[in-house]
Amino acid sequence: MPRSLRGTGYYLFMIEHRWHQDHGILEVEPHGPLQASDFSLLAEQVDPVLRERELLSGLLINGSDFSGWEDFSALLSHFRFVREHHRHIHKVAVLSDHSLLRLMPALVSHFVSAEARPFSLRERREALEWLAAPG
């Protein structure tokens, strides 16, 4: 169940997402510790697009506010989400100035079919251009 902001009536989704280039590039930006439900909510937004397109040009992961997972169940849900979706993504760009997150593309490339590259937070435009470029 999505978390609600206290007293506001609004829901707070810990994985904010935006589409670029007519749904060809998905940008995700995690906020706070991720819960297992965040990945099912994200899948509800992404899966209909994948049914139409089958392949996204890229995934932009904005790690500026990433603070991990709430518990082991959330981590497993994240792995499940990646396993079920990685074949639909051509390239992955990771935006972060955190040294550990900048190593993520090298680690991820062993487990997914997508080409992955790190970018600093100030290189967002360059990351989107790389994701949009053929190849």
Side-chain angles (χ1 to χ4, degrees):
M1 175 65 77
R3 291 152 277 197
S4 64
L5 295 171
R6 255 182 248 182
T8 65
Y10 291 100
Y11 290 108
L12 175 64
F13 298 102
M14 301 310 280
I15 303 176
E16 183 179 346
H17 76 283
R18 292 180 269 310
W19 292 101
H20 300 275
Q21 296 197 348
D22 194 28
H23 292 82
I25 297 173
L26 173 64
E27 179 176 357
V28 294
E29 185 173 355
H31 298 284
L34 299 175
Q35 293 183 350
S37 61
D38 293 322
F39 297 98
S40 58
L41 292 169
L42 183 60
E44 288 176 15
Q45 301 300 311
V46 172
D47 290 351
V49 174
L50 291 178
R51 280 192 289 277
E52 287 182 23
R53 295 186 64 98
E54 291 189 38
L55 182 67
L56 299 180
S57 300
L59 170 65
L60 177 65
I61 302 169
N62 186 332
S64 62
D65 194 28
F66 179 68
S67 57
W69 302 267
E70 184 175 83
D71 53 27
F72 189 66
S73 174
L75 179 63
L76 290 178
S77 291
H78 190 171
F79 288 154
R80 226 175 283 117
F81 182 86
V82 170
R83 183 187 69 221
E84 293 169 1
H85 293 88
H86 78 93
R87 288 181 188 88
H88 300 279
I89 299 170
H90 184 64
K91 297 179 187 175
V92 176
V94 178
L95 291 178
S96 180
D97 288 334
H98 190 279
S99 57
L100 183 60
L101 283 180
R102 288 187 54 85
L103 293 174
M104 190 174 81
L107 177 64
V108 166
S109 66
H110 296 293
F111 302 101
V112 300
S113 58
E115 180 182 359
R117 267 184 66 186
F119 292 86
S120 71
L121 289 173
R122 66 185 170 281
E123 295 177 310
R124 184 175 181 278
R125 183 176 49 83
E126 290 87 349
L128 283 168
E129 289 172 0
W130 176 73
L131 291 170

